[in-house]
Amino acid sequence: MDRKTASKGKLRIGDDWNAIRIIALSQSNPLKAVAELVENSVDAHARTVTITRGRERGDAYLAIYDDGDGILRDADGLPDFRYVATHICDSVKRKLKAEGDGKGVQGEFGIGLLSFWTVGERLRITSAGADQRPYQMVMSRGDPAFQVTPRRMLFAERGTELRIAPLLEGVRRINGEKIQRYLAAELRDRIRSSGVRITVIDKLARKQYAVEPRQFDGRLLHQLPAVPTRFGEVYAELYLTEPESASRVGLYRSGTRVLEDVASLPGLERLPWTSGYLQGLIDAQFLTLTPGTRSGLVYDERFAAFAAALAPLEEHLLALIDEQQRAEDEQASRELLRSIQRAFREAMLALPPEEYDWFDIQARSRQGATAQTAADGSAIGAGETAPAPPDEWLGATEPAAPAGPQREFFEHAGPLFGVVVSPAASTVAVNDSRRFTALPRDRSRRRVEEELKFEWRILEGGGTLAGDRDQQVELVAPGTPGLTRLGVTVRQRDVSCTAEALITVTDTIAPAVGAVIANARGLPGYTFERAAGELWRSRFDVERNLIAVNSGHRDFVFAARNQALKLRYLIRLYVKELVLRNFQGLPTEQLLERMIELSLYTEERL
């Protein structure tokens, strides 16, 4: 085309009705369409809005009634339905905003009414005129015609009644509870700022719901950095929560949600928005919305200014999240350590004390032994081993008994729930003897002492018992090697519990079994050291009584993906270090045997 044939012109609609069809069908979310119709009621200064879902003459319908200002009236005082129907994309609200009278008004495109196409087949709007008579306008989906007629009613009510019927097939599955949840999030700040009371009445489900502004979980973050732009300031209401994939920060404009997740915006698919630690909203009144769906943005200079202004806020949030993660790691480490201590202490009860007395269990048990009595009331003499207190059974601290004779209700043990035998596994030389103790517990693993009866018996193998009716029993091993299975039954009134112990009877016991324990400092703690390029998994720090775990080792990285697997990995490192530390000088094969034995009884009690 040369200069002689060049021309200019203006865009125009070639087919008005086709343009209206495209606009009406551009709203893909029927719940968003319902929210827009409710917003029209809020813009009309309604104080109450009632949404009713029901069925009439076989057709499902959705009705919205408000007590607002109603449809604007013409010069004759009648509802100006004709203006509403013939001024698509020419919103009165936009003119009010331009004139400064549209404070708190959300609409601006003049197409919200057309969204009924995504909800149902026909729309009927009823509003009163100045003569206090009701008038109605009826529109049909896919039909360019509309009809305005007086409506026969006893008296006209204030506000507007909107009714859509019959509902589309897919919309009929949207019940009142879904509408309530959606509006609570979509119109959260509009409800709070306007004070409107929204009620959803589901006649089909026979339920009624009040739409309350959505409450976020977590801790509200105060003193957040300001987010100013040349178009206006951005408001942020954010909450720090436990990490969850469902935690999101919504993008709002003037109190109405635009996007459910701000991280879905280009350029914002990054931390902290994708961390899962944040809930809340960011409200930017100056953003430009896409008119069709009202659930998208135009990525113009306003959006660019908005995204750039978030940088100081993001830096502040990342610091808070990092602090939260450190606190969670410390808490997780404490819980892991308690689990490890509990498992090892329980394993110490099952294993022979002379071989695994790393926690001074027997020494602590002897303290006050002369003051303790057996379950049958007989005194435990000096030099005898009293049953270990409950805090040694599971590593859980049992509250100390009060000094006075009176104890609180919760300090008394409950009924019998279980029993264990200590030790549950041991090795005895032929013709030698060993003492075993039954440890009865309640459901909370407290010591049970009252109305107990004990019955010991050899279930399998050889040997003889002495004192088979007491809490403690002495087993005399037979003269030939073998495996003896010892059982005990404890009864308290009509409750009975059983437990077993396995005794290996051998003709010779290696001297190393009774060797002096090198470490009597108790169970060590642990700490992490990142050494990604080194092959060691753990080291024992004797001075600090700590096990250093290489958090950069590939095995730790693999195990850390799952909390249970991580706990078992730490248990095995503990077993390795404690066996090496406490069985110094043993041959390699015996060290491996000890590791297998201790791992078995410790992991079984996790």
Side-chain angles (χ1 to χ4, degrees):
M1 181 179 293
D2 55 25
R3 293 183 179 180
K4 293 181 180 181
T5 59
S7 63
K8 295 181 179 180
K10 290 185 178 181
L11 296 176
R12 67 182 182 87
I13 301 296
D15 188 335
D16 293 343
W17 173 240
N18 190 47
I20 290 175
R21 286 184 67 257
I22 294 173
I23 294 172
L25 294 174
S26 63
Q27 179 56 268
S28 59
N29 187 352
L31 287 173
K32 181 72 172 178
V34 173
E36 289 182 6
L37 297 174
V38 173
E39 277 201 289
N40 288 339
S41 298
V42 178
D43 289 341
H45 309 105
R47 303 305 301 169
T48 61
V49 179
T50 303
I51 305 169
T52 304
R53 172 179 176 260
R55 187 181 301 277
E56 188 175 65
R57 297 177 183 177
D59 290 335
Y61 71 88
L62 189 72
I64 301 175
Y65 168 77
D66 68 67
D67 59 356
D69 299 335
I71 301 296
L72 292 177
R73 295 166 183 169
D74 58 16
D76 297 327
L78 301 179
D80 201 351
F81 289 118
R82 182 171 294 277
Y83 182 91
V84 173
T86 59
H87 286 71
I88 304 297
C89 299
D90 186 15
S91 175
V92 175
K93 300 175 186 178
R94 185 174 58 183
K95 295 180 180 180
L96 291 175
K97 290 180 180 180
E99 296 170 359
D101 297 329
K103 184 177 181 180
V105 174
Q106 184 74 309
E108 60 181 309
F109 300 118
I111 60 176
L113 205 60
L114 293 178
S115 60
F116 88 88
W117 283 33
T118 62
V119 180
E121 296 291 345
R122 288 187 303 277
L123 170 69
R124 185 182 71 194
I125 307 176
T126 303
S127 185
D131 56 0
Q132 297 303 310
R133 295 179 60 188
Y135 296 85
Q136 67 180 13
M137 178 177 70
V138 178
M139 305 172 65
S140 297
R141 184 173 184 267
D143 188 350
F146 66 93
Q147 185 178 11
V148 179
T149 59
R151 184 178 177 187
R152 293 183 179 181
M153 296 178 65
L154 291 177
F155 55 88
E157 296 183 357
R158 173 183 171 85
T160 304
E161 180 187 357
L162 185 148
R163 186 184 185 94
I164 304 174
L167 300 181
L168 301 181
E169 184 66 29
V171 179
R172 296 175 190 175
R173 299 183 180 90
I174 300 177
N175 56 27
E177 184 179 4
K178 291 182 179 179
I179 296 174
Q180 182 261 349
R181 287 203 309 265
Y182 186 84
L183 296 180
E186 190 77 5
L187 306 180
R188 177 180 183 270
D189 277 20
R190 291 227 68 192
I191 297 173
R192 294 173 62 181
S193 61
S194 65
V196 64
R197 187 172 69 237
I198 303 175
T199 304
V200 180
I201 301 175
D202 193 339
K203 292 185 176 181
L204 299 181
R206 297 183 180 179
K207 292 183 179 181
Q208 180 171 318
Y209 307 91
V211 180
E212 301 290 343
R214 176 190 174 186
Q215 300 298 320
F216 294 109
D217 298 328
R219 173 170 62 91
L220 176 62
L221 300 178
H222 299 280
Q223 298 179 343
L224 294 175
V227 188
T229 71
R230 62 190 178 95
F231 301 103
E233 188 164 340
V234 177
Y235 170 77
E237 181 182 334
L238 301 173
Y239 297 77
L240 190 62
T241 70
E242 297 294 328
E244 295 181 4
S245 59
S247 295
R248 297 182 179 89
V249 177
L251 178 64
Y252 286 65
R253 197 190 77 157
S254 301
T256 301
R257 189 172 65 181
V258 179
L259 292 173
E260 186 176 353
D261 188 2
V262 70
S264 63
L265 292 171
L268 296 181
E269 322 95 320
R270 60 175 183 260
L271 296 174
W273 315 117
T274 59
S275 66
Y277 277 90
L278 295 175
Q279 285 189 18
L281 63 91
I282 294 178
D283 195 310
Q285 299 184 12
F286 53 84
L287 293 176
T288 306
L289 304 185
T290 53
T293 62
R294 263 68 48 88
S295 59
L297 297 178
V298 178
Y299 303 119
D300 53 9
E301 69 279 2
R302 292 173 177 263
F303 172 77
F306 163 76
L310 290 178
L313 177 62
E314 292 174 341
E315 183 178 352
H316 181 78
L317 293 174
L318 287 173
L320 292 177
I321 292 174
D322 184 62
E323 180 181 344
Q324 173 89 350
Q325 288 174 333
R326 287 199 303 270
E328 289 175 353
D329 290 342
E330 292 175 3
Q331 176 66 21
S333 295
R334 286 194 293 268
E335 292 177 356
L336 285 174
L337 182 58
R338 281 196 293 267
S339 298
I340 292 171
Q341 290 173 337
R342 187 178 297 115
F344 270 96
R345 287 177 176 174
E346 185 77 357
M348 292 301 103
L349 289 176
L351 295 169
E354 69 274 10
E355 302 174 25
Y356 292 93
D357 193 11
W358 300 337
F359 307 105
D360 297 328
I361 293 177
Q362 302 300 330
R364 282 197 290 259
S365 299
R366 293 189 192 101
Q367 295 177 5
T370 57
Q372 296 186 20
T373 58
D376 60 359
S378 61
I380 299 177
E384 294 183 348
T385 302
D391 63 329
E392 307 300 345
W393 296 352
L394 274 179
T397 302
E398 179 186 17
Q406 186 67 29
R407 288 191 293 176
E408 298 290 342
F409 173 79
F410 58 83
E411 292 176 333
H412 291 269
L416 179 66
F417 183 75
V419 62
V420 295
V421 177
S422 178
S426 58
T427 302
V428 181
V430 293
N431 298 319
D432 202 353
S433 63
R434 172 179 288 279
R435 179 170 294 183
F436 295 86
T437 303
L439 304 177
R441 301 167 169 173
D442 66 2
R443 185 180 292 272
S444 298
R445 291 168 179 163
R446 289 182 180 273
R447 176 175 23 181
V448 178
E449 301 174 341
E450 299 178 354
E451 302 181 49
L452 297 176
K453 295 181 180 180
F454 299 86
E455 181 181 347
W456 296 87
R457 60 191 180 279
I458 296 177
L459 303 176
E460 182 181 341
T464 58
L465 298 177
D468 59 350
R469 294 187 180 274
D470 297 330
Q471 186 171 359
Q472 292 186 340
V473 69
E474 185 173 354
L475 171 71
V476 179
T480 57
L483 183 67
T484 298
R485 191 156 61 96
L486 176 65
V488 63
T489 299
V490 183
R491 291 184 173 85
Q492 185 187 52
R493 295 182 290 274
D494 57 345
V495 179
S496 64
C497 299
T498 60
E500 295 183 3
L502 292 175
I503 303 99
T504 301
V505 181
T506 180
D507 55 350
T508 57
I509 297 181
V513 169
V516 178
I517 302 299
N519 175 30
R521 300 174 61 183
L523 187 71
Y526 71 91
T527 185
F528 293 120
E529 293 183 13
R530 185 170 183 81
E534 302 182 22
L535 298 179
W536 62 275
R537 294 176 176 83
S538 63
R539 291 173 177 171
F540 197 106
D541 189 329
V542 179
E543 297 297 326
R544 296 186 295 167
N545 195 34
L546 283 175
I547 293 178
V549 178
N550 183 1
S551 59
H553 196 280
R554 64 177 181 272
D555 291 346
F556 180 87
V557 174
F558 175 80
R561 299 181 303 174
N562 179 277
Q563 190 75 355
L565 186 59
K566 180 180 179 181
L567 177 58
R568 293 186 179 277
Y569 179 74
L570 292 175
I571 284 285
R572 289 162 186 169
L573 294 183
Y574 263 82
V575 169
K576 181 195 74 164
E577 298 297 340
L578 291 176
V579 168
L580 290 175
R581 178 66 181 165
N582 290 279
F583 291 99
Q584 296 178 2
L586 286 184
T588 303
E589 62 273 10
Q590 291 193 31
L591 285 177
L592 294 175
E593 295 289 347
R594 293 293 175 184
M595 289 179 62
I596 293 174
E597 181 179 56
L598 186 55
S599 296
L600 174 66
Y601 284 92
T602 305
E603 292 188 22
E604 192 269 336
R605 285 158 175 80
L606 283 178

mmCIF file of all heavy atoms in Angstrom, residues 518-534:
data_model
loop_
_atom_site.group_PDB
_atom_site.id
_atom_site.type_symbol
_atom_site.label_atom_id
_atom_site.label_comp_id
_atom_site.label_asym_id
_atom_site.label_seq_id
_atom_site.Cartn_x
_atom_site.Cartn_y
_atom_site.Cartn_z
ATOM 1 N N ALA A 518 33.365 -48.266 79.145
ATOM 2 C CA ALA A 518 34.250 -47.105 79.027
ATOM 3 C C ALA A 518 33.503 -45.797 79.219
ATOM 4 O O ALA A 518 34.057 -44.827 79.703
ATOM 5 C CB ALA A 518 34.927 -47.119 77.654
ATOM 6 N N ASN A 519 32.241 -45.745 78.836
ATOM 7 C CA ASN A 519 31.494 -44.481 78.884
ATOM 8 C C ASN A 519 30.348 -44.605 79.864
ATOM 9 O O ASN A 519 29.434 -45.381 79.669
ATOM 10 C CB ASN A 519 30.930 -44.150 77.491
ATOM 11 C CG ASN A 519 30.052 -42.903 77.537
ATOM 12 O OD1 ASN A 519 30.265 -42.022 78.360
ATOM 13 N ND2 ASN A 519 29.078 -42.848 76.656
ATOM 14 N N ALA A 520 30.405 -43.864 80.952
ATOM 15 C CA ALA A 520 29.326 -43.883 81.942
ATOM 16 C C ALA A 520 28.640 -42.530 82.023
ATOM 17 O O ALA A 520 28.048 -42.190 83.030
ATOM 18 C CB ALA A 520 29.877 -44.284 83.301
ATOM 19 N N ARG A 521 28.739 -41.753 80.975
ATOM 20 C CA ARG A 521 28.189 -40.396 80.988
ATOM 21 C C ARG A 521 26.754 -40.342 80.487
ATOM 22 O O ARG A 521 26.164 -39.282 80.392
ATOM 23 C CB ARG A 521 29.073 -39.477 80.139
ATOM 24 C CG ARG A 521 30.511 -39.401 80.640
ATOM 25 C CD ARG A 521 31.381 -38.613 79.700
ATOM 26 N NE ARG A 521 30.932 -37.238 79.556
ATOM 27 C CZ ARG A 521 31.519 -36.350 78.727
ATOM 28 N NH1 ARG A 521 32.546 -36.734 77.999
ATOM 29 N NH2 ARG A 521 31.056 -35.131 78.651
ATOM 30 N N GLY A 522 26.211 -41.477 80.156
ATOM 31 C CA GLY A 522 24.839 -41.478 79.680
ATOM 32 C C GLY A 522 24.764 -41.273 78.180
ATOM 33 O O GLY A 522 25.761 -41.195 77.459
ATOM 34 N N LEU A 523 23.541 -41.176 77.695
ATOM 35 C CA LEU A 523 23.319 -41.047 76.256
ATOM 36 C C LEU A 523 23.735 -39.654 75.782
ATOM 37 O O LEU A 523 23.287 -38.650 76.341
ATOM 38 C CB LEU A 523 21.845 -41.285 75.933
ATOM 39 C CG LEU A 523 21.499 -41.345 74.446
ATOM 40 C CD1 LEU A 523 22.038 -42.621 73.842
ATOM 41 C CD2 LEU A 523 19.998 -41.251 74.252
ATOM 42 N N PRO A 524 24.574 -39.558 74.763
ATOM 43 C CA PRO A 524 24.990 -38.235 74.281
ATOM 44 C C PRO A 524 23.910 -37.577 73.435
ATOM 45 O O PRO A 524 22.973 -38.223 72.974
ATOM 46 C CB PRO A 524 26.225 -38.561 73.427
ATOM 47 C CG PRO A 524 25.975 -39.946 72.927
ATOM 48 C CD PRO A 524 25.233 -40.652 74.047
ATOM 49 N N GLY A 525 24.062 -36.276 73.236
ATOM 50 C CA GLY A 525 23.222 -35.568 72.286
ATOM 51 C C GLY A 525 23.818 -35.665 70.898
ATOM 52 O O GLY A 525 24.776 -36.411 70.660
ATOM 53 N N TYR A 526 23.242 -34.917 69.958
ATOM 54 C CA TYR A 526 23.808 -34.926 68.617
ATOM 55 C C TYR A 526 23.726 -33.525 68.025
ATOM 56 O O TYR A 526 22.938 -32.680 68.453
ATOM 57 C CB TYR A 526 23.094 -35.932 67.706
ATOM 58 C CG TYR A 526 21.689 -35.556 67.300
ATOM 59 C CD1 TYR A 526 21.446 -34.828 66.138
ATOM 60 C CD2 TYR A 526 20.589 -35.937 68.067
ATOM 61 C CE1 TYR A 526 20.162 -34.483 65.761
ATOM 62 C CE2 TYR A 526 19.303 -35.603 67.695
ATOM 63 C CZ TYR A 526 19.091 -34.878 66.543
ATOM 64 O OH TYR A 526 17.823 -34.536 66.172
ATOM 65 N N THR A 527 24.583 -33.298 67.064
ATOM 66 C CA THR A 527 24.592 -32.036 66.341
ATOM 67 C C THR A 527 24.906 -32.325 64.889
ATOM 68 O O THR A 527 25.393 -33.415 64.549
ATOM 69 C CB THR A 527 25.630 -31.058 66.932
ATOM 70 O OG1 THR A 527 25.518 -29.793 66.267
ATOM 71 C CG2 THR A 527 27.048 -31.580 66.734
ATOM 72 N N PHE A 528 24.608 -31.356 64.017
ATOM 73 C CA PHE A 528 24.836 -31.548 62.587
ATOM 74 C C PHE A 528 26.067 -30.760 62.148
ATOM 75 O O PHE A 528 26.261 -29.626 62.553
ATOM 76 C CB PHE A 528 23.620 -31.091 61.774
ATOM 77 C CG PHE A 528 22.399 -31.931 61.980
ATOM 78 C CD1 PHE A 528 21.240 -31.375 62.468
ATOM 79 C CD2 PHE A 528 22.415 -33.283 61.680
ATOM 80 C CE1 PHE A 528 20.105 -32.144 62.665
ATOM 81 C CE2 PHE A 528 21.288 -34.064 61.862
ATOM 82 C CZ PHE A 528 20.138 -33.492 62.358
ATOM 83 N N GLU A 529 26.869 -31.398 61.334
ATOM 84 C CA GLU A 529 28.002 -30.748 60.672
ATOM 85 C C GLU A 529 27.928 -31.094 59.190
ATOM 86 O O GLU A 529 27.883 -32.271 58.837
ATOM 87 C CB GLU A 529 29.337 -31.210 61.260
ATOM 88 C CG GLU A 529 29.575 -30.786 62.692
ATOM 89 C CD GLU A 529 30.942 -31.203 63.193
ATOM 90 O OE1 GLU A 529 31.784 -31.605 62.347
ATOM 91 O OE2 GLU A 529 31.167 -31.143 64.416
ATOM 92 N N ARG A 530 27.904 -30.075 58.364
ATOM 93 C CA ARG A 530 27.783 -30.318 56.923
ATOM 94 C C ARG A 530 29.164 -30.472 56.309
ATOM 95 O O ARG A 530 29.963 -29.529 56.282
ATOM 96 C CB ARG A 530 27.016 -29.191 56.248
ATOM 97 C CG ARG A 530 26.754 -29.444 54.779
ATOM 98 C CD ARG A 530 25.797 -28.440 54.179
ATOM 99 N NE ARG A 530 25.498 -28.733 52.797
ATOM 100 C CZ ARG A 530 24.616 -29.631 52.391
ATOM 101 N NH1 ARG A 530 23.923 -30.313 53.287
ATOM 102 N NH2 ARG A 530 24.393 -29.857 51.110
ATOM 103 N N ALA A 531 29.456 -31.680 55.828
ATOM 104 C CA ALA A 531 30.716 -31.976 55.153
ATOM 105 C C ALA A 531 30.380 -32.803 53.920
ATOM 106 O O ALA A 531 30.564 -34.028 53.886
ATOM 107 C CB ALA A 531 31.665 -32.715 56.078
ATOM 108 N N ALA A 532 29.844 -32.123 52.902
ATOM 109 C CA ALA A 532 29.304 -32.823 51.733
ATOM 110 C C ALA A 532 30.371 -33.590 50.964
ATOM 111 O O ALA A 532 30.081 -34.612 50.348
ATOM 112 C CB ALA A 532 28.613 -31.819 50.806
ATOM 113 N N GLY A 533 31.615 -33.141 51.003
ATOM 114 C CA GLY A 533 32.643 -33.806 50.221
ATOM 115 C C GLY A 533 33.369 -34.910 50.957
ATOM 116 O O GLY A 533 34.305 -35.496 50.410
ATOM 117 N N GLU A 534 32.960 -35.208 52.187
ATOM 118 C CA GLU A 534 33.649 -36.222 52.984
ATOM 119 C C GLU A 534 32.756 -37.445 53.166
ATOM 120 O O GLU A 534 31.534 -37.365 53.090
ATOM 121 C CB GLU A 534 34.054 -35.633 54.339
ATOM 122 C CG GLU A 534 34.962 -34.404 54.194
ATOM 123 C CD GLU A 534 35.398 -33.867 55.547
ATOM 124 O OE1 GLU A 534 35.375 -34.636 56.529
ATOM 125 O OE2 GLU A 534 35.755 -32.676 55.610
#
